[in-house]
Amino acid sequence: AQTVTQSQPEMSVQEAETVTLSCTYDTSESDYYLFWYKQPPSRQMILVIRQEAYKQQNATENRFSVNFQKAAKSFSLKISDSQLGDAAMYFCAYSGSRLTFGEGTQLTVNP
Amino acid sequence: GAVVSQHPSRVICKSGTSVKIECRSLDFQATTMFWYRQFPKQSLMLMATSNEGSKATYEQGVEKDKFLINHASLTLSTLTVTSAHPEDSSFYICSAIRGPGGTYEQYFGPGTRLTVT
């Protein structure tokens, strides 16, 4: 079975600074996708970024980028120039035969 | 595009009654829909996977007679919580994908907060 681990229950960052959220996963599958989702207080799940396992190039979406290390099964999210609106729960998710979520990291952005 | 709606957004029901939650894909056809349950400050827990026109596949530990799932069309799936009890109070989220399998992006509904009194 696939597992996803987020070792940081809570993180905080100063506005305009950079923060990195960690995620590791375990799988025996070779073809899969990885996602970072954001869940603000409204609880609507919002896709932040996705990475296809067969692509070596790290995905980037504006201020959000990932460091995908396939051999190490690591998938961290870097948020640059943090904004107050980035404050939310962030979930790392693995999608192979099914979507599996990590426990989440609560990100606080301090003004 | 890829909008998923849920109705109702909040519902309060009395213990022993049943409540139905609808999940609709508004601008695409969803061959597969998923139902999740989320407790406060916890992650999403997959309850079941439903494919249009066939029986839902429930995760281990989820009572299929209590949580009835129907995926009658390519744009609608419903979750009925039967004989609800206070412990069923939770946040229920549905999601949908355009293609077969689990490798495609899931589009999430806004969730339904169920409170059983």
Side-chain angles (χ1 to χ4, degrees), chain B residues 8-79:
Chain B
S9 57
R10 290 173 178 261
V11 59
I12 301 173
C13 70
K14 292 190 175 182
S15 186
T17 62
S18 296
V19 61
K20 180 184 287 187
I21 302 170
E22 293 187 347
C23 176
R24 294 180 184 274
S25 56
L26 299 185
D27 52 3
F28 66 98
Q29 293 187 328
T31 54
T32 304
M33 289 184 166
F34 305 86
W35 287 96
Y36 296 87
R37 185 173 181 177
Q38 186 181 32
F39 292 106
K41 298 189 184 299
Q42 292 189 22
S43 188
L44 281 70
M45 180 188 75
L46 179 65
M47 299 175 66
T49 302
S50 72
N51 292 294
E52 185 264 340
S54 61
K55 290 185 177 180
T57 302
Y58 291 82
E59 294 300 303
Q60 189 173 7
V62 177
E63 300 175 61
K64 59 182 179 182
D65 294 330
K66 174 175 229 0
F67 298 100
L68 300 179
I69 292 172
N70 183 279
H71 193 160
S73 77
L74 286 172
T75 59
L76 174 65
S77 177
T78 60
L79 167 67

Side-chain angles (χ1 to χ4, degrees), chain A residues 31-33 35 37 39 41-47 50 89 91 94-104 106, chain B residues 4 34 36 38-46 59 91 93 95 101-111 113:
Chain A
D31 185 21
Y32 52 89
Y33 291 73
F35 302 93
Y37 283 94
Q39 189 179 43
S42 68
R43 304 189 78 169
Q44 170 73 60
M45 296 290 284
I46 301 167
L47 178 67
R50 59 180 282 172
M89 179 74 86
F91 291 102
Y94 168 99
S95 180
S97 55
R98 54 186 290 168
L99 189 63
T100 302
F101 288 92
E103 304 92 334
Q106 182 67 52
Chain B
V4 176
F34 305 86
Y36 296 87
Q38 186 181 32
F39 292 106
K41 298 189 184 299
Q42 292 189 22
S43 188
L44 281 70
M45 180 188 75
L46 179 65
E59 294 300 303
F91 193 69
I93 304 174
S95 70
T103 58
Y104 293 81
E105 177 182 341
Q106 293 189 18
Y107 302 96
F108 288 86
R113 183 179 302 281

Side-chain angles (χ1 to χ4, degrees), chain A residues 13-111:
Chain A
V13 63
Q14 290 297 125
E15 196 175 3
E17 296 295 311
T18 296
V19 63
T20 298
L21 307 184
S22 301
C23 173
T24 59
Y25 59 95
D26 189 23
T27 184
S28 58
E29 297 174 330
S30 58
D31 185 21
Y32 52 89
Y33 291 73
L34 294 163
F35 302 93
W36 277 98
Y37 283 94
K38 168 185 177 181
Q39 189 179 43
S42 68
R43 304 189 78 169
Q44 170 73 60
M45 296 290 284
I46 301 167
L47 178 67
V48 174
I49 199 165
R50 59 180 282 172
Q51 174 79 44
E52 294 156 42
Y54 67 88
K55 289 187 176 179
Q56 293 186 342
Q57 186 173 5
N58 290 325
T60 300
E61 288 289 340
N62 300 314
R63 298 183 295 108
F64 299 88
S65 61
V66 299
N67 184 2
F68 174 47
Q69 302 290 327
K70 190 172 183 179
K73 295 178 181 166
S74 170
F75 183 61
S76 61
L77 174 69
K78 185 171 81 172
I79 306 174
S80 304
D81 186 24
S82 296
Q83 300 176 359
L84 295 177
D86 294 334
M89 179 74 86
Y90 285 81
F91 291 102
C92 177
Y94 168 99
S95 180
S97 55
R98 54 186 290 168
L99 189 63
T100 302
F101 288 92
E103 304 92 334
T105 297
Q106 182 67 52
L107 178 66
T108 300
V109 180
N110 300 309

Side-chain angles (χ1 to χ4, degrees), chain B residues 13-17 37 66 81-90 92 114-117:
Chain B
C13 70
K14 292 190 175 182
S15 186
T17 62
R37 185 173 181 177
K66 174 175 229 0
V81 183
T82 62
S83 186
H85 291 286
E87 57 265 31
D88 298 325
S89 298
S90 189
Y92 293 87
L114 170 64
T115 303
V116 184
T117 61

